[in-house]
Amino acid sequence: MAEQEHQQASEQVNELAQKMEEVILGEDGLPLSKKALKKREKELEKEKKKQERLAREAEERAAREAAEVDHGVDNYGRSAINMSREKTETKWTALGELTAEMAGQLVNVQARVQGSRPVSGKMCFLVLREGVETAQAVLSVDADTVSKKMVKFATSIPNESIVSITAQVVKPDVPVESCTVGTVELQVRKVFVTSEVKIPLPFALEDAMHSEEACARDATLNRVGLDTRLNNRTMDLRTITNNAIFKIQAAVCQLFREYLTNEGATEIHTPKIISTASEGGSNVFKITYFKGAAYLAQSPQLYKQACIAADFGKVYEIAPVFRAEDSNTQRHLTEYVGLDLECSFREHYHEVMNMIGSMFVYIFKNLELRWARELEIVRRQYPSEPIKFDDQPLRLEYKDAVALLRAHGEEMGDFDDMTTPQEKTLGRLVREKYGTDFYMLDKFPLSVRPFYTMPDPTDARYSNSYDFFLRGQEIMSGAQRVHDADMLKERIAAHGIPLESLEHYIRAFELGCPPHAGGGVGLERVVMFYLGINNIRQTSLFPRDPKRIDP
């Protein structure tokens, strides 16, 4: 009997719970009234009919589109993977070659889609990019070539995908100021994706091209931090500014080669794995070399001089340099590209120093003449004035520079090495007094130079050494080298370096060596200071510093 009563009670509880579930509560948590329930039912019915109508319209639209003849079907799509199956006679035109005089011509271009902007279902714009150039393309529905589906396809192409386009060149009513090629526009006739972006982009390329001034004027602009850019360096290098920066960097190397080759110098290639530190000291990377140890070269110094002893006369090299300096400043790297040179001379080391000065003048002049386009593009994002320099570079002696700094209120001893702030101050003072951003600082204190530096013949506290400065910062260090074996041994001993560690180096001078001088240039620094860029990592392709070894 008790069991039967228990079962009946359970059934009543379940029935009550079911009824409670069916009760619809209002916002106040109380059951809705009959009037409210009726209103709600009408709203649900109305929404149901709306959804049915939308579904029916979508179905009808899809049916119409399916039935519609796509007259552009052969003019767009995704190309098969290019496996070099065939060669055609297609003539390709670079974006930078487009001119207003080509209006009316059909051209074939390959470029990245930097961005797209649909105007309607019948028209859209694309921004195309190739290297340092951008151009505007437009697709507009017509009766023969461009269909609605073709326009829809074009707007769906992911940014940064590569496309092949056939288009007619037209002259726009007003110049396209947002593109570097602004005098023409491309009326697209065919568009095929040849390489499609498969993943989300780490940042919008346009955001990486804002100048500091633009960001200051418009706080809504997105900014991409330097670490984000360097962590995604391949993407970052696609900006037209970076493309231009590294064309200019390549130009500096080209001009360095041109000048020295014309001077009769021989390009050499020296070892980067060596048995002893190139310049002594601890700023050297030690590596395992089979069962022993070796070092990464701090410079090609010892081998440049060996080539002079081997009667090469004048030599130069463009190669990596490694410095194990735990320095995280805006102008230091642990690996950089060194432009090194060494030349014998007849009477005085100034023969070499002045030649190097003329070399820099040659580089600076030709950059402005032959790479004006790239300089213009860089200066849009990183505004700077062209450097001031003379055909005969200014030469200052170290003691005169010290006097100039002291007159300005700087405190430093006669033989103190200059700090970076002092170098910058000196650069500003020199510009004010002499009207130049480029100068040579000669006769450094011997105590702040390497062991192979020749002492000054009239005052042994100084040396026959020099640095070159650009915009108040050092871009090259050089000197006359000690070429006498006995004097060299004395200098090595004075620096506390074991003679046996430099045995092969010393032997070259024991065999007789002409007097010579030279120097080493940091490529990234030259480009950085010439362009007025604030961080050397922006002028290094894939920078290496104490905290960065990837990518």
Side-chain angles (χ1 to χ4, degrees):
M1 185 71 176
E3 183 177 346
Q4 186 177 2
E5 290 177 352
H6 178 73
Q7 185 176 353
Q8 288 177 350
S10 296
E11 290 175 355
Q12 290 174 353
V13 169
N14 290 336
E15 185 179 350
L16 180 60
Q18 187 175 352
K19 288 182 179 179
M20 289 180 67
E21 287 179 1
E22 293 174 357
V23 173
I24 299 173
L25 304 179
E27 293 181 358
D28 56 2
L30 298 174
L32 290 177
S33 64
K34 289 183 179 181
K35 183 179 180 180
L37 283 171
K38 195 168 184 180
K39 180 181 178 182
R40 183 174 181 277
E41 287 173 1
K42 286 183 179 180
E43 289 174 348
L44 289 173
E45 183 66 22
K46 184 178 179 182
E47 180 63 24
K48 179 182 176 183
K49 289 180 179 180
K50 178 183 176 182
Q51 294 302 321
E52 288 174 348
R53 176 176 54 80
L54 291 174
R56 188 169 56 254
E57 289 174 354
E59 197 175 307
E60 291 171 354
R61 185 166 55 251
R64 285 196 305 271
E65 289 178 358
E68 185 179 295
V69 177
D70 184 1
H71 58 267
V73 67
D74 295 327
N75 300 327
Y76 67 95
R78 290 172 175 80
S79 299
I81 296 174
N82 186 335
M83 299 175 68
S84 301
R85 293 181 187 277
E86 59 180 359
K87 293 182 286 186
T88 69
E89 300 300 319
T90 303
K91 180 183 176 183
W92 298 96
T93 302
L95 294 186
E97 296 172 345
L98 297 172
T99 63
E101 289 70 31
M102 298 171 68
Q105 295 182 25
L106 275 180
V107 295
N108 297 292
V109 301
Q110 287 186 340
R112 288 191 185 271
V113 176
Q114 183 167 298
S116 62
R117 179 169 59 87
V119 177
S120 66
K122 295 183 177 182
M123 185 178 184
C124 77
F125 290 95
L126 303 178
V127 175
L128 305 178
R129 189 187 72 252
E130 183 182 21
V132 299
E133 305 294 355
T134 56
Q136 180 169 276
V138 60
L139 287 90
S140 183
V141 171
D142 59 25
D144 304 312
T145 309
V146 180
S147 64
K148 286 184 178 181
K149 289 185 177 181
M150 185 171 171
V151 171
K152 185 177 180 181
F153 171 80
T155 58
S156 71
I157 298 172
N159 287 352
E160 292 304 300
S161 296
I162 301 173
V163 294
S164 291
I165 283 178
T166 300
Q168 183 178 26
V169 179
V170 298
K171 190 174 180 180
D173 295 334
V174 293
V176 184
E177 295 183 358
S178 59
C179 294
T180 63
V181 181
T183 58
V184 300
E185 187 177 72
L186 295 175
Q187 293 279 355
V188 177
R189 295 291 175 263
K190 294 183 179 181
V191 55
F192 289 91
V193 176
T194 59
S195 181
E196 188 170 9
V197 170
K198 305 291 187 181
I199 61 174
L201 299 178
F203 51 82
L205 216 63
E206 293 89 342
D207 292 340
M209 293 192 287
H210 297 315
S211 69
E212 289 295 323
E213 292 180 354
C215 291
R217 288 194 307 269
D218 186 352
T220 64
L221 291 176
N222 292 325
R223 306 177 75 166
V224 184
L226 184 58
D227 279 343
T228 299
R229 296 176 64 161
L230 295 179
N231 290 339
N232 299 278
R233 190 60 161 161
T234 300
M235 177 74 175
D236 184 45
L237 289 172
R238 291 181 185 177
T239 69
I240 61 172
T241 305
N242 277 333
N243 199 292
I245 286 172
F246 289 99
K247 286 185 184 297
I248 291 166
Q249 187 189 85
V252 172
C253 293
Q254 178 180 329
L255 295 169
F256 179 78
R257 277 195 175 98
E258 280 181 9
Y259 184 88
L260 291 174
T261 299
N262 290 336
E263 287 288 320
T266 301
E267 183 169 6
I268 59 173
H269 306 283
T270 63
K272 301 305 164 211
I273 300 175
I274 56 178
S275 62
T276 188
S278 312
E279 303 186 9
S282 59
N283 296 330
V284 59
F285 287 109
K286 188 175 182 179
I287 62 173
T288 301
Y289 193 71
F290 299 100
K291 294 183 179 180
Y295 302 91
L296 295 179
Q298 294 167 293
S299 82
Q301 185 60 44
L302 311 187
Y303 294 98
K304 288 191 302 178
Q305 291 185 259
C307 288
I308 298 301
D311 296 337
F312 279 39
K314 297 176 182 177
V315 297
Y316 69 91
E317 180 176 44
I318 301 175
V321 173
F322 303 92
R323 296 291 173 100
E325 296 180 36
D326 191 10
S327 180
N328 293 283
T329 73
Q330 293 183 325
R331 64 176 198 164
H332 284 92
L333 296 169
T334 54
E335 178 185 351
Y336 64 90
V337 178
L339 309 182
D340 278 89
L341 71 156
E342 206 74 25
C343 307
S344 60
F345 61 82
R346 303 296 184 183
E347 297 179 344
H348 200 285
Y349 75 96
H350 281 179
E351 296 169 30
V352 178
M353 187 183 77
N354 291 331
M355 184 201 75
I356 296 171
S358 297
M359 177 194 75
F360 275 115
V361 170
Y362 177 82
I363 291 172
F364 299 153
K365 282 186 173 181
N366 278 277
L367 283 176
E368 295 292 338
L369 287 172
R370 293 158 60 182
W371 282 270
R373 177 64 170 160
E374 287 77 11
L375 290 172
E376 176 195 355
I377 289 170
V378 174
R379 287 167 179 161
R380 288 181 189 178
Q381 184 167 357
Y382 303 109
S384 68
E385 293 181 13
I387 62 168
K388 291 185 175 182
F389 62 93
D390 299 319
D391 288 346
Q392 295 295 324
L394 173 69
R395 173 184 168 272
L396 280 179
E397 290 200 0
Y398 195 85
K399 59 185 178 182
D400 296 326
V402 171
L404 197 59
L405 285 168
R406 284 175 176 164
H408 185 70
E410 291 285 337
E411 295 183 3
M412 65 179 298
D414 290 344
F415 307 105
D416 291 345
D417 201 4
M418 281 189 198
T419 64
T420 298
Q422 287 171 336
E423 288 179 356
K424 291 180 179 179
T425 299
L426 179 62
R428 181 169 56 80
L429 296 175
V430 167
R431 194 179 205 271
E432 291 173 358
K433 185 172 182 179
Y434 299 101
T436 183
D437 292 310
F438 173 63
Y439 61 95
M440 307 179 291
L441 192 57
D442 195 13
K443 298 293 182 183
F444 272 73
L446 184 62
S447 60
V448 301
R449 305 303 272 198
F451 69 85
Y452 46 75
T453 305
M454 180 67 76
D456 183 282
T458 60
D459 189 341
R461 297 174 301 174
Y462 291 95
S463 64
N464 293 350
S465 64
Y466 43 82
D467 279 1
F468 285 72
F469 288 82
L470 184 63
R471 297 192 197 269
Q473 301 200 64
E474 178 240 316
I475 57 171
M476 178 182 185
S477 185
Q480 178 183 354
R481 322 301 188 180
V482 175
H483 62 280
D484 178 82
D486 292 335
M487 181 185 288
L488 183 60
K489 291 175 185 177
E490 292 175 5
R491 294 286 301 136
I492 292 171
H495 278 254
I497 301 171
L499 291 177
E500 57 271 19
S501 68
L502 293 169
E503 179 182 354
H504 293 287
Y505 176 65
I506 296 168
R507 188 176 301 162
F509 300 98
E510 291 176 329
L511 293 168
C513 182
H516 58 282
V521 182
L523 173 62
E524 291 86 351
R525 279 196 183 188
V526 172
V527 176
M528 172 189 178
F529 298 141
Y530 185 86
L531 296 176
I533 292 173
N534 293 326
N535 197 309
I536 197 168
R537 291 156 186 80
Q538 293 173 260
T539 58
S540 176
L541 197 65
F542 292 94
R544 295 291 179 263
D545 61 36
K547 296 180 179 178
R548 180 173 292 279
I549 199 170
D550 287 308

